[in-house]
């Protein structure tokens, strides 16, 4: 197992969400003190959204310069902009509408009323990622021609499906096999709704830190498989590896099948 993987259980869903929120606020503050701005990739799902709500409820949120935080999405559902199924809408209701974000720094994936199909939506996100990456490289006095496909992701949040899917990359489907592009259109998703846009594993793994957040007994098998070094095509979560750190932030139920040797119980 790579040394950069750390598994931390939490006593309950609520403690997991609150602790992940505190970690996120602290990480954003640390990055902003080093670089002036910070970038987080948000996820849909119960824990991902509960974490954002916990950030909104935390007095510590007031210490973050939210106007200098770049928000991207690991995936979104390809439904109408106003649909309650949209991760953007859920993230906005949980957090983004309650903090002073710079709208130009909130990078939403296209919806079914703003793109013709999931392929166009993915292509639009690929272009937006490339433009942000080129701008970062120009700022770093490097040639934009050599810019990577995606900007720097300081923290990338991932929920976990019971089938070990991450973002909208599902076992054995085209998305998890896709290489050479940072975003992909998804059809026939086993998790409704059927059409989505997702970052690819390559884009996910470009992140400095990946935080996989999962709660509930129905995720225990996926966590165990994800940590057991299974093939990423069969177990997408097993392919998630941050450049510097990969955290598995779990409640006790989701951690039930984690080998004791891997567990890091924080004091
Ligand atoms: O858009 C989505 O559906 C998510 O990004 C997806 O990857 C989610 O995070 C997992 O399915 C976990 O969701 P739950 O925590 O609700 O089970």
């Amino acid at each position: 197992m790579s040394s950069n993987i750390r598994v931390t259980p939490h006593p309950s869903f609520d403690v997991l969400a609150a602790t992940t929120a505190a970690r996120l606020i602290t990480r954003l503050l640390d990055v902003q003190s080093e670089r002036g701005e910070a970038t987080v990739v948000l996820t849909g799902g119960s824990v991902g959204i509960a974490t954002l709500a916990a950030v909104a409820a935390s007095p510590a949120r007031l210490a973050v310069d939210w106007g200098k935080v770049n928000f991207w999405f690991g995936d979104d559902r390809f439904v109408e902009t106003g649909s309650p199924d949209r991760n953007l809408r859920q993230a906005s209701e949980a957090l983004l509408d309650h903090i002073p974000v710079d709208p130009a720094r909130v990078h939403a994936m296209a919806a079914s009323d703003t793109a013709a199909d999931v392929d166009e939506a993915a292509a639009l996100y690929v272009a937006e990622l490339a433009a942000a990456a080129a701008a970062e490289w120009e700022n770093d006095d490097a040639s934009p021609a050599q810019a990577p496909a995606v900007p720097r992701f300081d923290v990338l949040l991932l929920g976990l499906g019971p089938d070990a899917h991450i973002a909208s990359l599902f076992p054995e489907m085209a998305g998890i096999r896709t290489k050479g592009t940072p975003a992909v259109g998804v059809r026939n998703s086993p998790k409704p709704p059927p059409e989505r846009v997702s970052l690819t594993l390559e884009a996910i793994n470009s992140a400095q830190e990946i935080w996989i957040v999962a709660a509930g007994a129905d995720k225990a098998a996926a966590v165990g498989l994800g940590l057991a070094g299974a093939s990423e095509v069969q177990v997408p979560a097993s392919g998630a590896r941050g450049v510097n750190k990969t955290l598995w932030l779990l409640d006790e139920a989701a951690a039930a099948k984690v080998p004791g040797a891997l567990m890091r119980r924080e004091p």
Side-chain angles (χ1 to χ4, degrees):
M1 156 108 38
S2 154
S3 61
N4 84 343
I5 292 179
R6 202 159 74 208
V7 182
T8 304
H10 300 72
S12 71
F13 180 102
D14 290 345
V15 171
L16 171 60
T19 311
T20 305
R23 283 178 194 276
L24 182 58
I25 289 169
T26 302
R27 189 73 198 121
L28 293 175
L29 286 171
D30 288 348
V31 172
Q32 283 190 328
S33 66
E34 292 161 20
R35 303 170 55 85
E37 65 176 54
T39 299
V40 58
V41 182
L42 304 180
T43 181
S46 57
V47 183
I49 298 301
T51 295
L52 300 186
V55 169
S58 167
R61 77 186 183 280
L62 300 173
V64 178
D65 181 353
W66 293 107
K68 293 276 178 54
V69 176
N70 305 302
F71 295 92
W72 296 85
F73 285 83
D75 69 337
D76 211 336
R77 292 78 177 277
F78 192 68
V79 292
E80 299 234 324
T81 300
S83 166
D85 277 344
R86 285 279 287 172
N87 289 335
L88 170 64
R89 176 168 168 178
Q90 294 181 29
S92 299
E93 288 172 354
L95 176 62
L96 303 182
D97 290 348
H98 309 291
I99 52 175
V101 300
D102 174 353
R105 292 176 183 262
V106 179
H107 301 278
M109 291 174 163
S112 61
D113 48 348
T114 60
D117 57 28
V118 292
D119 298 322
E120 181 186 24
L124 289 169
Y125 217 57
V126 167
E128 191 161 349
L129 287 160
E136 267 184 6
W137 275 57
E138 272 166 17
N139 291 345
D140 293 349
D141 295 330
S143 154
Q146 275 95 42
V150 297
R152 176 190 171 97
F153 296 148
D154 295 300
V155 177
L156 186 143
L157 297 170
L158 288 174
L160 179 71
D163 59 356
H165 76 258
I166 49 174
S168 287
L169 304 178
F170 295 93
E172 306 280 2
M173 293 185 66
I176 188 61
R177 303 173 195 272
T178 299
K179 299 193 186 316
T181 181
V184 65
V186 174
R187 293 179 173 86
N188 305 313
S189 162
K191 176 180 180 182
E195 294 196 323
R196 295 152 169 261
V197 183
S198 182
L199 293 186
T200 57
L201 191 59
E202 283 175 349
I204 288 169
N205 285 344
S206 75
Q208 301 302 305
E209 298 193 10
I210 293 175
W211 301 1
I212 297 171
V213 293
D218 65 325
K219 307 296 174 72
V223 171
L225 281 172
L227 288 167
S231 135
E232 66 201 29
V233 172
Q234 277 79 38
V235 183
S238 70
R241 196 74 88 251
V243 172
N244 294 326
K245 211 177 274 188
T246 308
L247 303 184
W248 290 69
L249 305 174
L250 313 169
D251 73 350
E252 289 289 357
K257 296 188 176 167
V258 175
L262 291 182
M263 199 75 86
R264 174 192 176 99
R265 290 187 180 284
E266 294 189 327

